[in-house]
Amino acid sequence: MRAILTPDVAPLTGTVIFKPGNELLSLFRSGKVLVSNVPENLRDTPAGRLSDSAQPLMDNPSIIDFMCQDEVIAAAGGSEVLRDHVRRFHCCQFESEEYHHKHYTTLKSGTGYVSLCYTHDNNFRNVHIPQPLQDIAKLNTANWVIGRVIYNLTLPEGHQLTLPELCCWSFVKGLVHLLPEGAVRAILKRPPAEILSGPQKESTILPFDNSGRHIIEEGAEAVKQVLAIGVDPESPESFMRRPKRKRWINEKYTRWVKSQSCACCGQPADDPHHIIGYGQGGMGTKAHDLFVIPLCRKHHDELHADQSKFENKYGTQLELFFRFFDHAIAVGVIG
């Protein structure tokens, strides 16, 4: 058993008093206890019993709550796999000196399960489940999720999962938006979020989302593949003598192009410019969304004002497009 206790220090007499409460009294019945400073990762954890797990993340209540969410359980393998995991415990997790039946089953509590003997399963199945059992169910779920994460990341058995590793798994599974804000800010080494209250000056209001989750989600969007190209060599139109022209539209790709640097000056782009000329941009022939280059507003206006002058100064649009398209493929945006 492990616990965090708040000491009452009496320096004049050289004594220290702890008030553990009835739940933690058994911690002192062994005769000796190990006393140590609270590690940095537990500084904000309230006093009380800690998980007996060897996994440090099990000491963080917000991380346990994260791992008990339906989406996280589904990503780890699903509720049925979790129940099968708990079923293999073959013990009764309800601590009691009462009679325990020799056969065991599982009882659902929230999004998790507990292992109970038939006796206590009958006691709690159709009534309110006591809080200690609810807490055990959450710990069962969190331990199982940690094991699945370690397996998915091909880490060695018994590995102590870290917060950045859990964040990496969450990114791969598309669960970043569920991570607790405090944990994300710890990963990014950012101070705790300041809770503002009362009247605020307009200068203190941020016009953008400054949360840790938003920062990670933005980073995820930056490295995520934006476009996957498919090939259909037998499309119906390819067999027509005069097929109707279809314009390829992909707003996701043009939004990514707009977020890149201007192809002329390297400053942040304002627009995804569609190639004009070269058989593109005439009446009813606007270029496909694939044939775009990022331009800032100044150079976009300059191009439309005088195409020849622009191309003599910065190179042809085809040269700029080829250079940018090569970049999009090289960084994995187009695959």
Side-chain angles (χ1 to χ4, degrees):
M1 181 184 294
R2 300 186 307 146
I4 293 179
L5 298 176
T6 302
D8 182 6
V9 182
L12 294 180
T13 60
T15 59
V16 178
I17 300 175
F18 293 103
K19 188 177 180 181
N22 292 333
E23 181 189 5
L24 299 175
L25 278 180
S26 59
L27 179 64
F28 299 90
R29 289 172 183 162
S30 60
K32 291 183 178 180
V33 294
L34 174 66
V35 179
S36 67
N37 293 326
V38 177
E40 188 63 35
N41 63 306
L42 298 180
R43 289 290 181 190
D44 299 326
T45 304
R49 183 172 180 174
L50 297 177
S51 167
D52 294 332
S53 172
Q55 293 291 342
L57 292 184
M58 293 292 291
D59 295 328
N60 189 325
S62 64
I63 293 296
I64 292 177
D65 290 338
F66 162 75
M67 292 188 283
C68 290
Q69 297 191 58
D70 288 323
E71 290 181 57
V72 178
I73 293 173
S79 183
E80 291 299 316
V81 178
L82 170 59
R83 185 176 66 176
D84 290 341
H85 167 76
V86 175
R87 184 180 290 145
R88 291 193 290 270
F89 289 178
H90 297 298
C91 69
C92 183
Q93 293 186 291
F94 181 70
E95 296 181 2
S96 171
E97 296 180 358
E98 300 173 359
Y99 169 74
H100 288 275
H101 197 278
K102 63 179 180 180
H103 295 299
Y104 306 99
T105 185
T106 57
L107 177 63
K108 186 174 178 62
S109 172
T111 58
Y113 295 88
V114 290
S115 177
L116 295 175
C117 67
Y118 280 7
T119 300
H120 294 104
D121 177 68
N122 288 333
N123 291 345
F124 301 124
R125 182 163 291 274
N126 296 317
V127 297
H128 176 71
I129 300 175
Q131 189 61 48
L133 277 184
Q134 296 180 38
D135 295 338
I136 291 173
K138 293 177 69 174
L139 294 179
N140 288 343
T141 301
N143 264 314
W144 172 75
V145 170
I146 287 177
R148 298 292 295 180
V149 173
I150 290 173
Y151 174 78
N152 291 159
L153 297 180
T154 65
L155 298 169
E157 187 176 351
H159 174 80
Q160 288 191 336
L161 192 70
T162 64
L163 200 52
E165 289 167 343
L166 179 63
C167 183
C168 174
W169 179 82
S170 302
F171 165 70
V172 173
K173 297 294 185 178
L175 303 171
V176 172
H177 63 288
L178 297 176
L179 284 169
E181 178 65 16
V184 174
R185 297 184 81 89
I187 294 172
L188 299 174
K189 297 188 181 300
R190 298 172 68 88
E194 182 180 357
I195 301 177
L196 302 177
S197 61
Q200 302 295 320
K201 293 182 179 180
E202 187 175 352
S203 60
T204 65
I205 301 175
L206 297 176
F208 55 87
D209 189 348
N210 193 39
S211 67
R213 278 191 296 260
H214 180 71
I215 294 172
I216 290 185
E217 286 172 350
E218 273 197 333
E221 286 297 323
V223 300
K224 187 185 300 181
Q225 179 174 296
V226 172
L227 177 64
I229 297 179
V231 177
D232 182 6
E234 298 182 356
S235 68
E237 290 81 359
S238 65
F239 296 100
M240 298 179 183
R241 177 171 294 182
R242 299 183 62 184
K244 183 178 179 180
R245 184 180 188 273
K246 289 184 177 181
R247 181 172 173 270
W248 187 82
I249 300 174
N250 192 304
E251 292 183 2
K252 187 177 182 181
Y253 180 66
T254 54
R255 282 199 303 271
W256 176 80
V257 173
K258 183 178 178 179
S259 70
Q260 302 306 296
S261 301
C262 174
C264 297
C265 64
Q267 297 298 313
D270 293 300
D271 304 303
H273 165 70
H274 291 76
I275 302 298
I276 57 175
Y278 308 98
Q280 303 291 319
M283 182 65 67
T285 58
K286 183 178 181 179
H288 301 291
D289 278 353
L290 189 64
F291 302 151
V292 291
I293 55 176
L295 292 177
C296 65
R297 190 62 45 79
K298 172 187 174 182
H299 290 105
H300 200 182
D301 292 343
E302 189 176 339
L303 190 159
H304 283 282
D306 192 328
Q307 179 182 338
S308 297
K309 184 178 179 180
F310 174 91
E311 294 191 337
N312 288 334
K313 185 176 181 180
Y314 302 105
T316 67
Q317 294 174 77
L318 295 185
E319 291 172 331
L320 297 176
F321 167 73
F322 179 81
R323 191 180 306 134
F324 177 73
F325 193 68
D326 175 71
H327 165 73
I329 294 176
V331 300
V333 171
I334 295 178

